[in-house]
């Protein structure tokens, strides 16, 4: 009984992680400018490893394999936000324009 | 159990295809870097899933090393794009150590 529950939970986590990855890929294709694409890619880069690694760890239990998977997850959770931040910063410094151009910036100034 | 693994692998492969399309199409170089970043993260996950599908526990080390190399590669490419030069030449009279 316990085994079946564990397997079902693991399957749900794996499939959800795959679906999140696909959503991120779709956002990467469909979104209109660089910053929104970075958002789609960056968010799913942390969320889908979290779900998939959790699903895999539920299958292998307390082995060295799980430890290595946890190390991978830890490293990904540190590096992907850092890479996204560096990318956004480099794009801002290079003067990449927002979607909507001038209008978006004047709108935000009006709101202030 | 195998079906869930296969579904996840198919989804990851689809994502890699979409990221590759963005990398080929992307108007700016930063779009391409984002796409390559997503692609390499998904490669790590794909290797981890294949480890469980085939039962070869050694393969997980490949994923671990790939995750480590990945970050350095992205930062290096960013620096190359920004600076156009990864190791600028020093002045001959400059004896300060490299930072």
């Amino acid at each position: 009984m316990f085994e079946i529950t564990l397997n079902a939970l693991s399957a749900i986590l794996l499939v959800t992680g795959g679906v999140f990855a696909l959503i991120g890929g779709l956002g990467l294709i469909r979104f209109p400018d660089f910053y929104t694409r970075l958002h789609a890619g960056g968010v799913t880069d942390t969320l889908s490893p979290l779900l998939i690694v959790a699903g895999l760890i539920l299958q292998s239990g307390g082995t060295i394999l799980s430890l290595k998977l946890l190390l991978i997850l830890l490293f990904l959770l540190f590096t992907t936000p850092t890479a996204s931040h560096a990318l956004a910063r480099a794009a801002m410094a290079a003067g990449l324009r927002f979607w909507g151009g001038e209008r978006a910036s004047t709108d935000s100034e009006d709101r202030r | 159990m195998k079906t869930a693994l296969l579904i996840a692998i198919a989804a990851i492969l689809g994502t890699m295809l979409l990221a590759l399309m963005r990398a080929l199409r992307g108007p700016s170089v930063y779009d391409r870097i984002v796409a390559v970043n997503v692609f390499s993260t998904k490669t790590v996950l794909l290797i981890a899933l294949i480890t469980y599908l085939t039962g070869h526990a050694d393969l997980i080390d490949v994923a671990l090393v790939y995750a480590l190399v990945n970050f350095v590669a992205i930062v290096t490419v960013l620096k190359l794009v920004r600076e156009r030069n990864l190791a600028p030449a020093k002045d001959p009279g400059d004896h300060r150590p490299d930072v």
Side-chain angles (χ1 to χ4, degrees), chain A residues 34 38 79-94 96, chain B residues 29-34 36-37 70-86:
Chain A
F34 165 75
L38 182 63
T79 55
T80 48
T82 315
S84 297
H85 179 78
L87 261 166
R89 207 178 145 81
M92 283 290 279
L96 227 65
Chain B
V29 70
Y30 299 104
D31 287 298
R32 295 174 210 271
I33 298 176
V34 172
V36 170
N37 194 7
N70 185 359
F71 174 64
V72 181
I74 293 293
V75 172
T76 311
V77 169
L78 260 182
K79 191 174 179 192
L80 181 65
V81 166
R82 255 180 104 173
E83 316 264 325
R84 300 267 165 226
N85 192 356
L86 281 181

Side-chain angles (χ1 to χ4, degrees), chain A residues 20 39 64 83 87 90 109-110:
Chain A
F20 266 113
H39 155 73
I64 191 80
L87 261 166
E109 275 181 17
D110 285 347

Side-chain angles (χ1 to χ4, degrees), chain A:
Chain A
M1 186 58 209
F2 182 65
E3 192 83 0
I4 293 171
T5 318
L6 214 60
N7 273 343
L9 200 61
S10 162
I12 290 171
L13 284 171
L14 283 177
V15 171
T16 319
V19 168
F20 266 113
L22 261 184
I23 291 171
L26 274 180
L28 210 58
I29 286 291
R30 295 284 302 164
F31 274 154
D33 79 340
F34 165 75
Y35 300 99
T36 47
R37 279 177 217 140
L38 182 63
H39 155 73
V43 165
T44 51
D45 257 7
T46 53
L47 200 52
S48 105
L50 196 68
L51 290 168
I52 287 184
V53 167
L56 290 181
I57 283 177
L58 282 186
Q59 280 187 44
S60 61
T63 55
I64 191 80
L65 198 60
S66 300
L67 187 70
K68 284 174 182 169
L69 270 174
L70 273 180
L71 272 178
I72 290 177
L73 179 66
L74 183 76
F75 200 75
L76 281 181
L77 285 186
F78 270 115
T79 55
T80 48
T82 315
S84 297
H85 179 78
L87 261 166
R89 207 178 145 81
M92 283 290 279
L96 227 65
R97 302 190 56 108
F98 293 107
W99 182 54
E102 296 292 322
R103 246 198 83 207
S105 61
T106 50
D107 275 356
S108 64
E109 275 181 17
D110 285 347
R111 239 174 275 133
R112 241 184 276 146

Side-chain angles (χ1 to χ4, degrees), chain B residues 61-75:
Chain B
D61 294 332
V62 179
L64 191 53
V65 172
Y66 203 94
L68 291 167
V69 169
N70 185 359
F71 174 64
V72 181
I74 293 293
V75 172

